[in-house]
Each structure stands twice: as C-alpha cells, then as structure tokens.
Amino acid sequence: MTRRVVDAVAPMLWLSACVAAVGLTMRYEFIGGQVGPRLALWPQQTSLSRSHGRLTAVAFVHPRCVCTRATAAQLVRTLRAYPDSELVVTVFVPTDATDLRPWQGAESVRIIQEAVPSARMVWDRGGLEARRFGAYTSGTLLVYDTQGREVFRGGITDRRGGEGDNPGLQR
C-alpha cells in the first residue's frame, strides 16, 4: 500500500470504530436488564410479607449499582403519587458480607429511607429473595394488588441511570 492510501484509509477506519463504539454504548444504555418471568401471585416460599388491603410494591436494588440512584428517585416520585401503597425495598447484600453498615449507608438506600420513612428495608443476603421473586436486575419493581396478584413487573427509569418520564413509570 502506498503512503497516500494509508493516509486516506486510516482516518476512515478510526471514524468507523468511533461510531461503532458510540452505537454499542448507546445500545447498552437504552436496553434494560433482564426483567424475569412474570409471577401470577405473591411467592409462597418468600420470607417477605405483603400488605393486606393495600398495593405492595417490592423494589429490588443493588446499592452499589450506579443506576440505583435513579431508581430510588423514581420510587420516591411514584410513592408520592400513591401514598396508600406499601414499599418493601429488597437490598442486595453479598453472602459473605460481615458488616452491613456499608450497604445500609449507601446513598440510594438513604434517599429511600429519608423520603419514604415507612418503607421496609430488607437486607437480601446473596439475592435469595430476588431469586424467589424472579428479579434478575437491580431496579426491578414488582407491584401486587390487595389479593397478592402481580400487576406490574419492570423498571421505572427511562434508561440506565435515567430519571425521565417513561412507560414503566406511567404504568
């Protein structure tokens, strides 16, 4: 190859690589994590209790996930619109964690506790409860009606870490 051809092709290859990288990054940001299978009823094998006579929202969060802050903000926004519902926040904690304070003091956990003092915080060692409910991704929100039927499963952010209006939040 001549120097002239290399000088002409190299910038095009570099630009193509940049466009592909931006495309992959955008795809990752706007495609949500795996939601998990829809359950018809509140799982019988869970140690969590649901509210009788009110909607029960169960949020599964990983306090060290950068996206959880957006989920926390959206949860607070949603619960202000539905004050008669109960919130159970299931917070992932590694099985081998001997000290819960770093997990309990995470910013996203504090946001929820301060804005929704009635929220029940459950420290889910190893993600056992998340597996029981079929929640595979941090930010999964499940809503159960007064009869224990699942009426919503999904996310409530518009993208990973996004706090804009979106179909999940509207539902």
Side-chain angles (χ1 to χ4, degrees):
M1 252 191 231
T2 67
R3 176 80 177 153
R4 185 179 269 173
V5 172
V6 170
D7 287 347
V9 172
M12 289 189 298
L13 289 174
W14 178 81
L15 182 60
S16 297
C18 289
V19 168
V22 168
L24 289 172
T25 301
M26 295 295 286
R27 182 174 185 266
Y28 175 79
E29 183 175 337
F30 285 98
I31 293 179
Q34 187 177 5
V35 176
R38 185 174 180 92
L39 305 177
L41 298 171
W42 185 272
Q44 290 182 356
Q45 69 277 18
T46 184
S47 64
L48 303 180
S49 61
R50 69 179 175 83
S51 176
H52 295 279
R54 300 190 310 174
L55 288 176
T56 304
V58 185
F60 295 89
V61 299
H62 189 299
R64 294 190 179 166
C65 174
V66 296
C67 301
T68 302
R69 183 173 172 29
T71 298
Q74 297 290 68
L75 271 173
V76 169
R77 179 178 165 192
T78 303
L79 289 171
R80 286 188 177 139
Y82 296 94
D84 289 339
S85 59
E86 180 178 6
L87 175 62
V88 179
V89 180
T90 308
V91 183
F92 173 80
V93 177
T95 305
D96 60 351
T98 55
D99 184 6
L100 292 180
R101 286 177 296 186
W103 299 89
Q104 294 168 333
E107 180 185 17
S108 54
V109 172
R110 283 195 323 270
I111 288 170
I112 296 168
Q113 288 176 319
E114 289 170 6
V116 189
S118 63
R120 278 190 286 141
M121 306 303 281
V122 176
W123 311 105
D124 190 13
R125 284 194 178 271
L128 179 63
E129 290 299 337
R131 285 191 299 280
R132 288 176 175 162
F133 280 84
Y136 301 145
T137 303
S138 178
T140 298
L141 179 67
L142 308 178
V143 179
Y144 292 86
D145 69 11
T146 58
Q147 304 302 310
R149 293 181 297 243
E150 184 179 299
V151 294
F152 177 81
R153 172 180 291 263
I156 55 172
T157 60
D158 65 344
R159 64 187 182 286
R160 294 179 192 261
E163 296 182 27
D165 198 21
N166 64 84
L169 188 61
Q170 291 169 4
R171 281 197 63 215

